[in-house]
Amino acid sequence: MANRHKDFNELVAQEFEDLGFSQAYITNLINNEGLSLEEALRESIKSMGLQAFAEKAEISISYVSDFVNKRRNWSTDNLVKYIEQVFGLKIKMSVETPKGEVA
């Protein structure tokens, strides 16, 4: 997100107050941009602001900062928990055969 004007960053962060916008943002990163769940969450947190995410997830900003800056990985359980709590999304995982059939 380098080289963007501060006002633009603030505008994007304000958009995350709209639950529909935030849901569309993170699902687009995963479904259309091909980011992993973890990377999509990192990008979403950067866009919405670390403080805003920390408040909604009810965790410390340093814990969020460590995750965003890849100094800490979150367990799958925590990824699912925070995505549900902050974005109101449900996570489904499946295992598929190489031909795309559900195993």
Side-chain angles (χ1 to χ4, degrees), residues 17-35:
E17 293 300 315
D18 177 349
L19 186 59
F21 175 87
S22 63
Q23 290 172 337
Y25 188 90
I26 194 167
T27 56
N28 179 64
L29 291 175
I30 296 166
N31 297 328
N32 298 328
E33 301 295 327
L35 270 63

Side-chain angles (χ1 to χ4, degrees), residues 67-78:
F67 172 73
V68 168
N69 293 302
K70 298 182 180 179
R71 292 186 298 264
R72 173 188 304 265
N73 290 319
W74 289 345
S75 68
T76 301
D77 288 343
N78 279 344

Side-chain angles (χ1 to χ4, degrees), residues 72-86:
R72 173 188 304 265
N73 290 319
W74 289 345
S75 68
T76 301
D77 288 343
N78 279 344
L79 290 172
V80 169
K81 175 184 170 184
Y82 299 138
I83 287 173
E84 287 180 358
Q85 187 171 343
V86 175

